[in-house]
Amino acid sequence: MVLIPLKPQAKTQPQDEGLHLPSPKAYLLETEVLAMLGWTRRALLNKPEGKRPPCIKLSPRKRIYDPDELSAWIASLPRSR
């Protein structure tokens, strides 16, 4: 490995201290969502597209779920006895 010294650069303006990037967010896997709902994968796939929890499709077989969207979806379900 060779280190090459850099030329001193002209002074640049300091970066804005108020800049804040969003923090990473944890997403749920399909298996975790199925365990929470008490469903099997077959039951999930047999439901029509509008009756499934909202997801982010990474590929045709891989989905992840936003915990906030999932809790809002669960809260919107009609309650039954």
Side-chain angles (χ1 to χ4, degrees):
M1 177 181 212
V2 177
L3 297 176
I4 301 172
L6 297 174
K7 295 179 186 176
Q9 295 180 348
K11 289 189 175 187
T12 59
Q13 295 197 7
Q15 287 191 0
D16 183 15
E17 296 297 326
L19 178 65
H20 298 287
L21 296 176
S23 58
K25 188 172 190 174
Y27 289 92
L28 300 170
L29 299 175
E30 188 173 84
T31 54
E32 295 170 321
V33 172
L34 292 175
M36 289 171 64
L37 297 173
W39 294 355
T40 62
R41 188 162 198 280
R42 178 174 281 192
L44 175 69
L45 296 177
N46 283 340
K47 294 209 178 280
E49 192 68 32
K51 300 285 184 174
R52 295 181 192 172
C55 67
I56 300 167
K57 292 182 181 179
L58 300 178
S59 70
R61 294 185 182 183
K62 180 80 171 175
R63 294 175 177 87
I64 57 173
Y65 297 84
D66 182 353
D68 298 331
E69 287 183 20
L70 182 65
S71 62
W73 179 78
I74 291 172
S76 72
L77 293 176
R79 297 189 183 248
S80 62
R81 291 186 180 206

